[in-house]
Amino acid sequence: MFKNHPKGLLSASLANMGERFGFYTMIAILALFLQSKFGLTGTAAATIYSIFYAMLLGLSLVGGLIADKTRNYKNTILIGIFVMAAGYGLLSIPSMSTGTGGLIFACFALLTIAFGNGLFKGNLQAVVGQMYDNEKYGKYRDAGFSMFYMFINLGAFFSPWVAMGVRNWWLKANGFLYNANLPALCHQQLNGTITAQGTENLNRLATEVSQGAPVADLSAFSTQYLDVFTTGFHYAFLIVIISMFVSAAIYLMNRKGYPDPKDKVAKEAQTAVAEMPVAEVRQRIWALMAVFSVVIFFWFSFNQSGLSLTYFARDYVDLTIFGVPVSVETLQAFNPLFVIILTPVILTFFGWLRSKGKEPSAPKKIAIGMAIAASAFAFLAIMSNISGLPAFKELMSDHGGVSPAKVSIFVLIGTYFIVTIAELFISPLGISFVSKVAPPKLQGMMQGGWLAASGIGNFLLFIGVIFYENLSQTATWLLFTSVCLISMFTMIFMLKWLERVSKK
């Protein structure tokens, strides 16, 4: 698999696994943690989640700028790993207050993680791109970034299982079982907003998770269950710190063998082509900005996995696989699993097209990915309509927070499968496109720009939750379908120009 690729690709991918482990742990549990720990509404938790997600990637632009200015990419990457670890350490403190002070502390921890990620992620991608800046490896750039993307998702696959396992272990150690609907009902009981139907549901579920033991005081039970439930999340964040240090160790063992973007600039300064014409630099930057503006809307849709799709799994999905109950968090493992499974298939397909001289350009692949993403949300809209799912407001007012109709878990898994195919047409190939088109002196900054565009899309994520909580489920997913289709047609409109710029 690595025959035609530089030696540093595998170690760089493995070094990034710790970041992916932490990232997908956050994706799996952050919104649920904020709601269960602080009693936030879905929209309030989504707003914090969106801001964090935006900073997580938007600060990559700052990290890229720092590395470009200091020409010290390798140390910037290493510092980023340790800053992220510090942020996860803050989140792992179980004694964090459940009041405003605790929420502010949690937000500071999230900011620390985001800044560390900004120093790390875009700059490591710039280093990987540097590996392909020669005739020997250049034609394998797209395949190389796809493989990089596949291997870093190994960490992403394991994180939801670990997060779920730690949380459920702690619940069991304290005499409880897991139930996704209970935290919201517990908070409603404690703040006096629970309905009669909700009280009936709480009483039934409290008995179930207490393994048949009668619950005499629902308020006392609610307080205890929430404390145990959220402490399990804190311990899951503690596990992430270990993964970050593993990444640091792998990076340190291999850093001398990695290329450095500053070396490329120094080398080109000694040649006749040292300075790229200003007009070409501008054209390349405009082309990258155009692609960035389009992918904003893909990430707005795709990254709903940690928000509206997580809420959908909690509220409307039968969380059993062949009769075996699973947690909401475990569904987050399917996206990285599909990345690992599908990447070799897609690489083989593109390799076959390349041998025939018919491989699509990176911009064309991105446009195709947008169309595939649209089909995923259209599928979910159709299944929501067929299943007769009630609107969220109806669910809360008339059904006590427990839906009378649910879709099979395989509907959501199928949605993730289709969305993952779209992701593989867009994310690794977009990174590859940036590394190819970005002017040499702006490699880190432009990789940061790609991530910043993702960050803008992520900042808009809370809008998806507003759709989710105020529209029918069918209308919600059709809106995401429309967003992806608009992005696809915009990309098609710019296709010839982008292809012309990328061939220079």
Side-chain angles (χ1 to χ4, degrees):
M1 179 177 286
F2 290 91
K3 180 180 179 181
N4 297 314
H5 297 273
K7 293 181 179 179
L9 178 62
L10 178 59
S11 61
S13 302
L14 295 175
N16 204 15
M17 281 177 58
E19 182 273 333
R20 287 288 89 183
F21 184 92
F23 175 80
Y24 270 82
T25 297
M26 295 298 293
I27 292 301
I29 68 178
L30 180 57
L32 301 176
F33 167 74
L34 291 171
Q35 287 191 283
S36 58
K37 180 76 177 183
F38 303 107
L40 301 182
T41 64
T43 300
T47 300
I48 294 175
Y49 179 101
S50 300
I51 293 172
F52 164 68
Y53 213 151
M55 291 191 305
L56 192 72
L57 298 174
L59 286 174
S60 294
L61 185 61
V62 177
L65 180 61
I66 290 172
D68 284 335
K69 290 294 184 182
T70 63
R71 316 309 303 169
N72 195 347
Y73 291 84
K74 293 184 179 181
N75 283 338
T76 302
I77 292 168
L78 185 61
I79 292 170
I81 295 175
F82 289 112
V83 173
M84 283 189 285
Y88 285 115
L90 295 175
L91 276 182
S92 69
I93 301 173
S95 60
M96 185 188 300
S97 167
T98 59
T100 302
L103 183 58
I104 293 172
F105 184 84
C107 289
F108 175 75
L110 293 175
L111 176 61
T112 303
I113 295 169
F115 182 65
N117 187 274
L119 296 173
F120 172 83
K121 191 171 179 63
N123 292 313
L124 184 62
Q125 290 174 185
V127 168
V128 173
Q130 175 80 10
M131 297 178 187
Y132 290 88
D133 285 340
N134 58 60
E135 293 183 4
K136 181 178 179 181
Y137 300 119
K139 64 181 179 180
Y140 300 109
R141 183 185 298 269
D142 282 1
F145 271 100
S146 292
M147 291 169 61
F148 174 74
Y149 202 75
M150 178 185 73
F151 273 85
I152 66 176
N153 272 277
L154 287 171
F157 170 71
F158 288 108
S159 58
W161 300 100
V162 173
M164 174 203 69
V166 170
R167 195 272 321 282
N168 289 357
W169 159 76
W170 188 245
L171 280 170
K172 189 174 182 180
N174 286 272
F176 295 122
L177 299 176
Y178 166 80
N179 185 279
N181 297 120
L182 262 178
L185 291 171
C186 288
H187 277 292
Q188 291 170 20
Q189 170 69 23
L190 293 175
N191 61 29
T193 60
I194 196 166
T195 64
Q197 182 62 54
T199 300
E200 182 181 331
N201 291 334
L202 175 60
N203 190 52
R204 173 175 56 82
L205 295 177
T207 302
E208 289 179 5
V209 301
S210 300
Q211 303 180 65
V215 177
D217 187 336
L218 287 178
S219 294
F221 164 83
S222 297
T223 299
Q224 185 181 9
Y225 190 80
L226 287 171
D227 179 64
V228 174
F229 194 90
T230 56
T231 299
F233 281 144
H234 284 295
Y235 292 154
F237 292 128
L238 187 62
I239 300 297
V240 176
I241 301 173
I242 299 173
S243 74
M244 299 305 300
F245 282 107
V246 171
S247 281
I250 294 172
Y251 181 77
L252 284 170
M253 287 188 293
N254 294 276
R255 65 180 296 187
K256 289 184 179 180
Y258 296 145
D260 197 324
K262 70 179 181 182
D263 297 332
K264 179 180 180 180
V265 175
K267 182 178 180 180
E268 290 183 344
Q270 301 172 5
T271 69
V273 293
E275 293 296 332
M276 184 177 288
V278 174
E280 184 175 346
V281 170
R282 288 177 178 172
Q283 188 175 41
R284 286 176 177 239
I285 291 176
W286 278 115
L288 290 170
M289 292 298 177
V291 173
F292 295 165
S293 67
V294 172
V295 298
I296 285 173
F297 299 100
F298 169 74
W299 293 118
F300 164 66
S301 303
F302 173 79
N303 285 326
Q304 291 296 326
S305 57
L307 277 182
S308 59
L309 285 174
T310 291
Y311 293 167
F312 182 82
R314 179 194 62 195
D315 299 332
Y316 296 104
V317 174
D318 176 12
L319 293 172
T320 59
I321 298 179
F322 301 119
V324 179
V326 298
S327 301
V328 172
E329 298 92 336
T330 58
L331 287 165
Q332 297 296 328
F334 284 98
N335 170 245
L337 174 63
F338 291 146
V339 168
I340 295 167
I341 293 172
L342 291 172
T343 296
V345 177
I346 291 177
L347 283 177
T348 300
F349 175 64
F350 286 149
W352 176 77
L353 289 177
R354 189 185 311 120
S355 68
K356 302 290 185 181
K358 298 180 179 179
E359 183 181 12
S361 64
K364 187 174 291 185
K365 291 174 184 175
I366 293 173
I368 294 171
M370 297 293 187
I372 296 172
S375 69
F377 289 106
F379 168 72
L380 190 56
I382 291 170
M383 296 308 299
S384 296
N385 186 59
I386 291 174
S387 302
L389 300 181
F392 181 78
K393 284 186 175 180
E394 181 185 344
L395 174 70
M396 300 307 294
S397 62
D398 299 342
H399 304 289
V402 180
S403 178
K406 292 182 180 289
V407 298
S408 166
I409 195 171
F410 293 105
V411 170
L412 198 51
I413 291 173
T415 301
Y416 282 132
F417 180 81
I418 302 170
V419 167
T420 300
I421 297 174
E423 178 188 7
L424 292 175
F425 272 74
I426 295 174
S427 189
L429 300 175
I431 297 170
S432 174
F433 179 79
V434 173
S435 74
K436 183 178 182 180
V437 176
K441 292 184 178 181
L442 299 175
Q443 285 285 325
M445 189 174 180
M446 289 298 99
Q447 288 289 352
W450 168 266
L451 296 171
S454 304
I456 295 173
N458 296 330
F459 178 72
L460 302 175
L461 289 175
F462 72 95
I463 298 175
V465 176
I466 295 175
F467 294 162
Y468 175 84
E469 292 187 341
N470 292 278
L471 303 176
S472 71
Q473 293 304 303
T474 302
T476 296
W477 307 123
L478 284 178
L479 278 171
F480 286 114
T481 302
S482 301
V483 167
C484 292
L485 287 176
I486 292 171
S487 299
M488 177 197 72
F489 286 116
T490 304
M491 200 71 187
I492 291 173
F493 176 76
M494 301 187 298
L495 193 57
K496 290 185 179 180
W497 170 52
L498 295 172
E499 289 178 337
R500 186 171 60 252
V501 172
S502 62
K503 288 180 180 179
K504 291 184 176 182

